[in-house]
């Protein structure tokens, strides 16, 4: 018998562990099923460790302590706040857009008190929730009508299901994209029952390609904005206005999925020009859809604006009920849109405030951090992220830590409370003040003081 087999044999059995006093106590605190499951998990881990010839601690009390830690960890809420020091402003894995103070307050109020979600105070009768953000969206985008659903992916499914089921949706081969998390536009389209008709090539699609593809079964021309990648070189896509023109001459719809969707021009902030929602409306798209929690800087939502007749059809579709949003989303969205109406979005909406931050202000914060916890202040770049403005960066200052094992430092930062998410470049651990809220500085410095820098 070799050493490995001896070790495997010496692992305790589940029943022998269950008989132990401290484990009995765990059963009282957590339930027998969860304790058995935790023991099995830890035994599996130990077996795996032995098979990989790694050292393993077979002491029973250490093993039971491990089981208890696992049980305790399983009870802790999995959704917890973190400090985003990555410099990626719209970080999909860290919850995308942060909400403004008024949006937060509006959500709290909607959560705490009854409200007019579907109630008309004038008549005392049932009202429609679909009215809530409608007026603001019409005003801000110039569209005739608007509808809010769960997110932009569901907006797309709804548009295709309601307006193109069993019919052709014509799309450029350059726009059959994956939007992230493994979700691909063609798969979403198939799910809706619409039939995809690809035209053009990866790099070039002309208006004539669309025109040739329009037959009796055509329902719409669909443009998907390249929100998370960039094509350069020998590339061509017809402008949206040309697509809309062609669609209308043929009696079909032109739909624009903007992805991020911005109401503000990004160029004055030192970024490439991202097509605005207003531009798509002016170009004549029948429907324009975009996310609520990307560049708009609001809650998760899919916002559809456009022609009244098209929106009316969406509102009557059963998916309108399935994909509707709740009072908290409306509350946050209305408060966010209100910042745009008041022309105060760059100051009040966190996404824009972070985009607008002056590099000197950021450098002063990095310097202040460095004086407290060490590390070097270097120049670098932040990104907007969230499938918007691919390749666009903003000059920033970073606090950099030179260390033998950067991944180990990253792990320590993640395990701290609150967890700090940084990034590694050229073997250094980098922290970007742009995405760290000023009120988080105290916590951040405490965490940095507690880890091995
Ligand atoms: C992000 C994105 C979506 C999906 O939006 P969600 O709000 O995340 O569902 C769809 N299309 C494009 C082009 C996108 O960039």
């Amino acid at each position: 018998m070799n050493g490995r087999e001896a070790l495997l044999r010496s692992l305790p059995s589940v029943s022998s562990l269950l008989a132990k006093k401290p484990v009995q106590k765990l059963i009282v605190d957590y339930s027998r099923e969860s304790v058995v499951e935790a023991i099995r998990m830890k035994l599996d881990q130990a077996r795996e460790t032995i098979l990989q010839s790694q050292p393993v601690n077979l002491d029973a009390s250490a093993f039971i302590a491990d089981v208890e830690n696992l049980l305790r960890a399983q009870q802790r809420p999995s959704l917890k706040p973190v400090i985003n020091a990555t410099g990626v402003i719209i970080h999909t894995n860290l919850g995308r857009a942060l909400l403004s103070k008024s949006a937060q307050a509006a959500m709290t109020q909607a959560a705490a008190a009854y409200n007019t979600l579907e109630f008309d105070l004038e008549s005392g009768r049932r009202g429609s929730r679909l009215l809530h953000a409608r007026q603001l969206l019409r005003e801000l985008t110039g569209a005739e009508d608007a509808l809010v659903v769960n997110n932009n992916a569901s907006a797309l499914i709804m548009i295709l299901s309601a307006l193109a089921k069993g019919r052709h949706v014509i799309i450029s081969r350059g726009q059959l994209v994956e939007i992230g998390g493994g979700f691909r536009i063609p798969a979403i389209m198939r799910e809706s029952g619409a039939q995809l008709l690809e035209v053009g090539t990866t790099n070039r699609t002309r208006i004539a390609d669309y025109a040739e593809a329009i037959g009796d079964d055509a329902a719409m021309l669909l443009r998907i904005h390249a929100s998370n990648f960039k094509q350069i070189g020998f590339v061509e896509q017809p402008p949206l206005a040309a697509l809309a023109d062609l669609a209308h001459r043929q009696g079909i719809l032109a739909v624009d999925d903007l992805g991020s969707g911005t109401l503000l021009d990004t160029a004055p902030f030192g970024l490439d020009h991202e097509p605005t929602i207003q531009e798509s409306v002016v170009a004549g798209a029948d429907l324009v859809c975009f996310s609520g929690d990307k560049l708009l800087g609001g809650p998760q939502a899919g916002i559809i604006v456009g022609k009244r007749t098209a929106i009316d059809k969406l509102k009557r579709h059963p998916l309108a009920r399935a994909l509707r949003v709740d009072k908290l989303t409306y509350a946050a969205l209305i408060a966010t849109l209100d910042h745009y109406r008041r022309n105060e979005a760059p100051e009040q909406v966190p996404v824009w405030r972070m985009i607008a931050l002056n590099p000197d202000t950021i450098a002063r914060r990095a310097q202040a951090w460095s004086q407290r916890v060490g590390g070097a202040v270097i120049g670098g770049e932040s990104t907007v992220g969230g499938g918007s403005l691919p390749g666009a960066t903003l000059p920033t200052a970073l606090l950099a830590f030179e260390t033998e094992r950067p991944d180990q430092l990253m792990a320590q930062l993640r395990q701290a409370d609150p967890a700090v998410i940084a990034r590694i470049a050229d073997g250094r651990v980098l922290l970007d003040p742009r995405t760290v809220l000023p009120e988080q500085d105290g916590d951040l410095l405490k965490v940095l003081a507690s880890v091995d820098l």
Side-chain angles (χ1 to χ4, degrees):
M1 193 160 71
N2 65 28
R4 250 197 240 174
E5 276 172 38
L7 277 172
L8 285 173
R9 272 161 192 264
S10 63
L11 282 174
S13 69
V14 176
S15 54
S16 74
L17 284 163
L18 285 173
K20 289 191 187 295
K21 261 242 170 62
V23 178
Q24 289 289 319
K25 194 173 163 299
L26 289 181
I27 289 173
V28 175
D29 290 347
Y30 293 91
S31 93
R32 190 181 166 87
E33 293 75 42
S34 26
V35 173
V36 170
E37 198 186 298
I39 289 177
R40 292 227 166 94
M41 219 155 131
K42 283 287 157 195
L43 283 173
D44 285 347
Q45 271 177 17
R47 234 168 261 129
E48 199 53 40
T49 312
I50 293 168
L51 289 174
Q52 287 170 4
S53 305
Q54 306 274 336
V56 57
N57 184 356
L58 289 174
D59 173 53
S61 57
F63 187 85
I64 294 168
D66 266 6
V67 170
E68 183 168 8
N69 282 338
L70 175 62
L71 287 164
R72 213 178 284 144
Q74 282 171 347
Q75 281 211 336
R76 275 198 290 269
S78 58
L79 184 64
K80 39 191 166 194
V82 305
I83 294 177
N84 174 12
T86 62
V88 181
I89 297 172
I90 305 169
H91 198 306
T92 293
N93 304 143
L94 303 182
R96 287 201 184 155
L98 300 186
L99 297 178
S100 74
K101 288 277 188 288
S102 358
Q104 294 170 38
M107 279 184 107
T108 305
Q109 196 176 48
Y114 291 109
N115 54 55
T116 53
L117 181 63
E118 289 186 355
F119 191 78
D120 180 22
L121 287 175
E122 195 104 5
S123 65
R125 297 215 194 93
R126 182 185 175 153
S128 167
R129 78 172 65 208
L130 301 183
L131 293 178
H132 292 300
R134 182 172 171 266
Q135 194 47 37
L136 267 169
L137 283 167
R138 289 178 47 187
E139 210 175 288
L140 292 167
T141 65
E144 289 175 7
D145 207 347
L147 177 65
V148 182
V149 293
N150 188 49
N151 57 17
N152 193 28
S154 53
L156 202 53
I157 289 184
M158 182 174 194
I159 290 170
L160 297 171
S161 306
L163 304 171
K165 199 179 208 98
R167 296 168 66 202
H168 290 165
V169 172
I170 302 164
I171 181 171
S172 157
R173 287 198 169 84
Q175 296 170 7
L176 292 170
V177 300
E178 177 167 320
I179 55 181
F183 289 98
R184 295 175 169 177
I185 293 292
I188 291 177
M189 296 185 65
R190 263 197 303 282
E191 210 47 53
S192 69
Q195 224 178 319
L196 190 73
L197 213 61
E198 306 168 23
V199 298
T201 60
T202 305
N203 58 332
R204 289 176 79 109
T205 305
R206 299 186 187 82
I207 196 71
D209 297 322
Y210 288 93
E212 275 166 30
I214 299 177
D216 291 342
D217 282 341
M220 73 175 63
L221 305 184
L222 176 63
R223 184 180 82 154
I224 310 271
H225 177 53
S227 53
N228 55 6
F229 69 104
K230 201 169 179 168
Q231 277 197 328
I232 50 166
F234 192 53
V235 295
E236 178 181 347
Q237 293 285 347
L240 182 62
L243 284 186
D245 225 41
L246 172 63
H248 297 153
R249 273 189 277 120
Q250 302 286 337
I252 63 174
L253 299 170
V255 173
D256 191 24
D257 172 10
L258 273 179
S260 195
T262 176
L263 287 167
L264 296 184
D265 182 7
T266 47
F269 295 86
L271 295 162
D272 287 350
H273 174 74
E274 172 89 358
T276 65
I277 302 155
Q278 301 91 311
E279 284 165 6
S280 294
V281 171
V282 167
D286 296 276
L287 294 171
V288 182
C289 63
F290 50 95
S291 291
D293 56 352
K294 289 182 181 171
L295 276 174
L296 195 75
Q300 179 190 301
I303 300 169
I304 309 169
V305 301
K307 305 268 169 69
R308 186 164 300 127
T309 46
I311 298 264
D312 267 343
K313 286 186 186 138
L314 300 182
K315 285 180 180 168
R316 288 197 300 269
H317 194 273
L319 277 178
R321 174 64 180 80
L323 301 175
R324 76 180 188 186
V325 299
D326 77 328
K327 58 187 186 244
L328 302 179
T329 302
Y330 276 121
L333 181 61
I334 291 165
T336 305
L337 292 172
D338 211 45
H339 291 308
Y340 289 94
R341 176 160 63 186
R342 293 163 189 268
N343 288 320
E344 59 184 25
E347 300 82 41
Q348 298 297 331
V349 175
V351 164
W352 288 101
R353 205 168 53 218
M354 289 178 188
I355 289 175
L357 271 178
N358 182 315
D360 294 334
T361 313
I362 301 175
R364 277 197 295 279
R365 266 178 87 201
Q367 290 292 356
W369 292 357
S370 166
Q371 274 159 22
R372 294 280 297 278
V373 294
V377 176
I378 61 170
E381 271 152 0
S382 320
T383 53
V384 178
S388 48
L389 297 154
T393 59
L394 296 158
T396 195
L398 303 161
L399 185 60
F401 292 101
E402 201 85 53
T403 152
E404 290 278 297
R405 296 285 311 270
D407 46 341
Q408 228 159 47
L409 176 53
M410 293 283 284
Q412 279 187 26
L413 292 171
R414 285 196 309 273
Q415 275 141 30
D417 184 23
V420 174
I421 317 298
R423 67 183 149 106
I424 301 179
D426 301 327
R428 286 184 294 198
V429 171
L430 306 176
L431 295 112
D432 188 335
R434 186 187 296 274
T435 48
V436 177
L437 302 170
E439 57 267 33
Q440 292 177 320
D441 271 13
D443 274 339
L444 176 72
L445 292 172
K446 216 166 58 198
V447 169
L448 288 174
S450 73
V451 297
D452 313 317
L453 295 173

